[in-house]
Amino acid sequence: MADAAVLERAKRYIFAGRNYERIDLRGYDLRGVNFTCSNFRGADLSGSDLRGALFIGADLSRACLQGCDAAGADFSGADLTGAYLRGLNLTEAVCWHTCFKGALCKQVKFHGADLTGADIARAEMLGARFDGAIVTGLRNVDRAIFRWFLSPLGGKPSYDPFPGAVVLTGSLTGDESFRENAGLINGLGYS
Amino acid sequence: MIGLEQVRNRLKILEARTAPLKAEIDQLALVAEPDAQQIARFNELAAGLQVMQGRYLECEAWIEMLEKYPGVSRPDQLPTKGNTPAYVPVTEKAPAEQVERNREASHQRDARELVELLPAAGAE
């Protein structure tokens, strides 16, 4: 009970401009907390509840947000370069000019999210869905990965279609973390 | 990345190259009593056309695939539940009896293949 009271009080504080580099915040309830301009480089927030949290201008590069619920959160101007976002729920989230460069966004739900001016260059978007998302000015759409094309004979997945390929539009392992291309590499005798 | 336009151009080039060969082979086919040189040329052309036919089919397969899965280059082409079929993972396990039956059939098939590979006893 005391913890809940502390948490409720903590939500009223502003954790802006703080340094949380490589912090372990797995499974925490961080609803509505203000982390504006904070540094979360390499932090682990997997499984946390981030609904309505503010990450405006925050640095989340190489952070892990696997399975987080960030519905309605604000990531405007945040840097998510190389972040691990598998299964992240960004429904109705605000992502103005957010940088998703090289981020792993498998199975991310961008339903109704505002992605105005966001950059998704080299982002792995296998299984990501954008129903009702505002995508005006979304940058580098042609450089993101939305499908995998697998050869029936084995080998590494291709991101471009080729005859006889098996197409994959979603992650086979869903929200679970797993190296999907494991065993598909030629020369190791697994394929 | 291989574009649709590139493959279509390749197809046009192949068609342009095939046309004179086809004309030549048609002429050779009309010769009543061909000499050895003409027969050799006919065989050479037939083999060449066969190879080109393979390339032609390959190009058609590429075009089919590229038309079926066009690249995502604009925000309005982003995957949604409407335009992309949902992946439904197989969660139900097959019944134990079926698994056992499949395993037995697989073993029998392997054994048969092995028997076929082995030299017959007493065969010279």
Side-chain angles (χ1 to χ4, degrees), chain A residues 130-131 142 146-147 161 167 172, chain B residues 62 69-70 72 78-79 81 87:
Chain A
F130 297 82
D131 296 60
D142 54 332
F146 296 99
R147 289 176 302 218
V167 66
L172 289 172
Chain B
W62 269 102
Y69 301 106
V72 180
L78 288 168
K81 282 179 185 171
Y87 168 72

Side-chain angles (χ1 to χ4, degrees), chain A residues 2-24:
Chain A
D3 286 350
V6 169
L7 206 68
E8 278 306 309
R9 213 172 297 138
K11 279 175 190 169
R12 291 182 197 135
Y13 283 93
I14 297 171
F15 298 92
R18 299 289 186 93
N19 183 22
Y20 299 108
E21 192 161 332
R22 299 185 70 182
I23 197 168
D24 185 357

Side-chain angles (χ1 to χ4, degrees), chain A residues 45-48 50 64-71 83-91 103-111 124-129 171 173-178 180:
Chain A
L45 293 123
S46 51
S48 293
L50 308 173
C64 178
L65 278 82
Q66 189 199 351
C68 287
D69 187 357
Y84 189 83
L85 312 176
R86 184 191 273 272
L88 175 65
N89 182 14
L90 281 173
T91 306
L104 192 139
C105 304
K106 283 180 183 173
Q107 304 292 121
V108 174
K109 297 169 198 80
F110 288 100
H111 305 315
E124 175 71 89
M125 293 278 182
L126 193 68
R129 295 292 177 266
S171 177
T173 55
D175 295 352
E176 294 302 316
S177 179
F178 188 76
E180 270 174 280

Side-chain angles (χ1 to χ4, degrees), chain B residues 33-80:
Chain B
E33 289 177 10
D35 55 17
Q37 202 180 355
Q38 281 174 325
I39 291 167
R41 179 67 183 153
F42 184 88
N43 291 340
E44 194 185 351
L45 283 171
L49 282 169
Q50 190 72 17
V51 171
M52 287 180 110
Q53 186 64 23
R55 286 180 189 159
Y56 193 86
L57 292 171
E58 194 188 330
C59 281
E60 281 184 340
W62 269 102
I63 288 169
E64 191 188 330
M65 201 68 183
L66 290 166
E67 279 176 343
K68 196 174 173 186
Y69 301 106
V72 180
S73 54
R74 295 194 313 270
D76 61 294
Q77 296 169 328
L78 288 168
T80 58

Side-chain angles (χ1 to χ4, degrees), chain B residues 11-124:
Chain B
L11 200 63
K12 276 181 201 166
I13 293 164
L14 269 173
E15 279 170 358
R17 282 183 184 164
T18 315
L21 299 181
K22 271 186 180 167
E24 196 180 341
I25 204 165
D26 286 345
Q27 276 187 349
L28 284 170
L30 292 172
V31 177
E33 289 177 10
D35 55 17
Q37 202 180 355
Q38 281 174 325
I39 291 167
R41 179 67 183 153
F42 184 88
N43 291 340
E44 194 185 351
L45 283 171
L49 282 169
Q50 190 72 17
V51 171
M52 287 180 110
Q53 186 64 23
R55 286 180 189 159
Y56 193 86
L57 292 171
E58 194 188 330
C59 281
E60 281 184 340
W62 269 102
I63 288 169
E64 191 188 330
M65 201 68 183
L66 290 166
E67 279 176 343
K68 196 174 173 186
Y69 301 106
V72 180
S73 54
R74 295 194 313 270
D76 61 294
Q77 296 169 328
L78 288 168
T80 58
K81 282 179 185 171
N83 66 15
T84 314
Y87 168 72
V88 183
V90 180
T91 49
E92 285 181 16
K93 283 185 179 175
E97 286 174 21
Q98 197 187 330
V99 171
E100 192 55 41
R101 222 170 25 243
N102 289 350
R103 188 182 289 131
E104 204 177 311
S106 169
H107 287 168
Q108 280 182 356
R109 197 170 51 245
D110 290 349
R112 228 172 284 133
E113 279 176 13
L114 183 66
V115 166
E116 281 168 15
L117 284 171
L118 291 170
E124 289 300 317

